[in-house]
Amino acid sequence: DGGISMASRRKSNLSLKAKLFTLVALSIVAFSALAFYSSYCLSKMSDTVVYLGKERIPLTATLGDIRAASNAIPRFIWLALAQPSGSPERKKSLDKVEFFQKSLKASVIQIEKYQLVDQATEHVKQIQLLTPQLEEVATSATSLLLRVDKLNSSPNNEKEIKAILMTKMPPVAVKLTEHVVELAKIIEARNTSIVSEAEESSKETSRILFSTS
């Protein structure tokens, strides 16, 4: 009876050790899985932050530059026309027109380098088509203004400049603005979606870590 009892105790001890080993092993596996998932979520969040910093924020800034330049070009041409012929104020306004023309051209080239959905790409194509048209109209007006300054007086040229600004400029400027606004809506919606996904991933990670602590 003593031998049977001893053997029974040994089996019981072995069974207990096996259960403890299994429990420890499962705990290690669960902890490893949790650590892996947490690492994955953190890596995903880190990638999102990098993507926002390198792609989405610069894209939004570039679009802002396009909007600012397309609005500023006609405004400063009108301002230049309102200034006295040959005055420093007119020259400053014309310099601003030249600056924003260069800014617009550079920004339009830059924006096509970003990753965009198909709908956004279509608006970029339209902006690329309209930008040279706006530049052509602006150049016509500024060239006439420079001619007025050179001749020191030319009422007919000023009438021609007003005609350009009132008939040729608005259709191009309005279409360009429309596409810029629509593109801004698409980009803003995508940015919001990316941030929301990152926030949800962060909340999910926190819930899992809290539930296992």
Side-chain angles (χ1 to χ4, degrees), residues 22-60:
T22 301
L23 181 61
V24 171
L26 288 174
S27 298
I28 293 173
V29 170
F31 180 79
S32 299
L34 178 62
F36 175 81
Y37 180 76
S38 299
S39 177
Y40 165 77
C41 290
L42 290 173
S43 176
K44 186 177 179 180
M45 289 171 60
S46 177
D47 290 343
T48 300
V49 171
V50 171
Y51 179 60
L52 286 170
K54 289 187 176 181
E55 185 79 14
R56 305 306 301 185
I57 293 175
L59 169 60
T60 304

Side-chain angles (χ1 to χ4, degrees), residues 62-119:
T62 300
L63 181 63
D65 291 339
I66 291 175
R67 175 180 286 181
S70 61
N71 290 332
I73 290 170
R75 185 173 74 250
F76 277 105
I77 294 176
W78 274 110
L79 186 59
L81 183 61
Q83 303 296 337
S85 175
S87 66
E89 290 79 10
R90 174 174 284 188
K91 184 180 184 306
K92 288 180 181 178
S93 295
L94 290 175
D95 287 343
K96 285 288 187 180
V97 174
E98 183 180 1
F99 169 80
F100 281 111
Q101 280 184 286
K102 291 179 179 178
S103 174
L104 179 60
K105 186 181 294 185
S107 297
V108 170
I109 292 173
Q110 181 64 30
I111 203 167
E112 65 179 332
K113 297 179 181 179
Y114 297 107
Q115 298 176 13
L116 298 168
V117 296
D118 291 342
Q119 189 179 2

Side-chain angles (χ1 to χ4, degrees), residues 174-188:
V174 168
K175 287 181 182 178
L176 183 56
T177 299
E178 287 175 354
H179 286 290
V180 169
V181 169
E182 290 304 313
L183 181 57
K185 291 178 181 177
I186 296 169
I187 290 174
E188 183 179 355

Side-chain angles (χ1 to χ4, degrees), residues 90-196:
R90 174 174 284 188
K91 184 180 184 306
K92 288 180 181 178
S93 295
L94 290 175
D95 287 343
K96 285 288 187 180
V97 174
E98 183 180 1
F99 169 80
F100 281 111
Q101 280 184 286
K102 291 179 179 178
S103 174
L104 179 60
K105 186 181 294 185
S107 297
V108 170
I109 292 173
Q110 181 64 30
I111 203 167
E112 65 179 332
K113 297 179 181 179
Y114 297 107
Q115 298 176 13
L116 298 168
V117 296
D118 291 342
Q119 189 179 2
T121 301
E122 287 303 313
H123 288 294
V124 170
K125 288 179 180 178
Q126 291 302 315
I127 290 170
Q128 290 172 328
L129 290 173
L130 290 166
T131 297
Q133 297 177 33
L134 181 67
E135 185 178 0
E136 183 180 353
V137 175
T139 300
S140 297
T142 54
S143 296
L144 286 171
L145 275 169
L146 290 171
R147 187 183 301 173
V148 169
D149 288 347
K150 188 175 181 180
L151 297 176
N152 199 28
S153 178
S154 182
N156 289 332
N157 282 342
E158 291 195 355
K159 289 180 181 178
E160 189 176 352
I161 294 166
K162 289 179 181 179
I164 290 173
L165 293 176
M166 293 177 70
T167 60
K168 294 184 179 180
M169 180 68 78
V172 178
V174 168
K175 287 181 182 178
L176 183 56
T177 299
E178 287 175 354
H179 286 290
V180 169
V181 169
E182 290 304 313
L183 181 57
K185 291 178 181 177
I186 296 169
I187 290 174
E188 183 179 355
R190 178 60 182 149
N191 288 348
T192 301
S193 175
I194 292 171
V195 172
S196 296

